[in-house]
Amino acid sequence: MSEKKSVEVPEEFRLRAAKIAAGASLRDLRLVQSDFQLVNVVEPSDELSIQMNIELSAGETEEPNVLVVSAKFGVVIFVADESEHTSDKSSDSEQPSNVATINFAYNTAFVVNDDCEWNEESLEAFAKTTGIFAIYPYAREFVTDVTTRAGLPPLILDFLKA
C-alpha cells in the first residue's frame, strides 16, 4: 500500500551537509500549503497504491543565521493495477484508476551557529539530508490523517530511506 521512498545523496553531499547540521537546531516547522481532492470512491476491498514526488529547496532568510528548508509533496493515490498480478497483459493500455491527490508543503527553519559557513551546494545537501529527515515524519502523519478523514483506508508511508 505504500511506496518506498529513498533519497539518493552522494557521500560528498553528506559531508557538506554534516558541516551545517553540526551547528544547526530546529527552530520551527509549519504546514504552509495543503490541498486534497477525492476523485473516486473505492471499495473496502480495493488495494491502494501511491506515487509520491518530493521537491526540496533551501535558502537563507533575512534574519541572520536562519536557514529555511521547504518541501513540497505531491501524492497520487490509485487502485493497485491488478493486471500486474496476472499473466494476461491485454490491459497494458489501461491507466490506473486515480482515487485522490494530496499536495502539501512544509517549511522548516533552522538556526545555525555563527561560525557555520555554507554555500549553495552545501544548502542543497543540507535540504536533501537533515532537512527532509526533519520534515518527513510530519508528512507521513499528514497523509495518514488526511486519508483517514476522507474515509479511505489510512495510508501509512514507509520510512524514508537514505
Side-chain angles (χ1 to χ4, degrees):
M1 188 184 299
S2 179
E3 173 184 83
K4 292 184 179 181
K5 196 67 178 175
S6 63
V7 178
E8 298 293 327
V9 182
E11 186 65 25
E12 180 182 337
F13 265 47
R14 290 177 196 259
L15 295 174
R16 289 179 189 158
K19 290 178 182 178
I20 299 175
S25 299
L26 182 64
R27 176 198 235 183
D28 190 23
L29 186 141
R30 294 181 188 210
L31 177 68
V32 294
Q33 184 263 325
S34 69
D35 177 59
F36 172 81
Q37 293 185 351
L38 184 63
V39 180
N40 287 308
V41 178
V42 297
E43 297 295 324
S45 60
D46 286 341
E47 184 179 336
L48 301 180
S49 290
I50 67 161
Q51 286 185 321
M52 183 168 59
N53 182 47
I54 304 172
E55 294 178 25
L56 297 169
S57 62
E60 302 176 54
T61 66
E62 293 179 8
E63 191 173 346
N65 299 343
V66 177
L67 303 176
V68 174
V69 175
S70 299
K72 294 180 181 179
F73 295 84
V75 178
V76 177
I77 303 166
F78 55 93
V79 175
D81 185 8
E82 293 181 10
S83 67
E84 291 177 2
H85 306 292
T86 66
S87 60
D88 180 17
K89 297 297 180 182
S90 62
S91 61
D92 284 344
S93 62
E94 291 182 21
Q95 296 292 330
S97 177
N98 284 359
V99 174
T101 59
I102 310 171
N103 294 295
F104 59 101
Y106 280 97
N107 283 353
T108 309
F110 293 89
V111 177
V112 294
N113 295 339
D114 287 334
D115 60 347
C116 187
E117 296 180 10
W118 59 82
N119 58 31
E120 191 173 317
E121 288 179 339
S122 59
L123 281 179
E124 180 184 348
F126 181 75
K128 289 182 177 181
T129 55
T130 303
I132 189 60
F133 279 99
I135 296 169
Y136 195 73
Y138 295 90
R140 291 180 70 221
E141 187 278 332
F142 184 78
V143 169
T144 300
D145 185 58
V146 167
T147 55
T148 301
R149 290 177 186 269
L152 297 172
L155 289 177
I156 300 172
L157 300 180
D158 198 3
F159 292 112
L160 187 64
K161 310 285 194 239

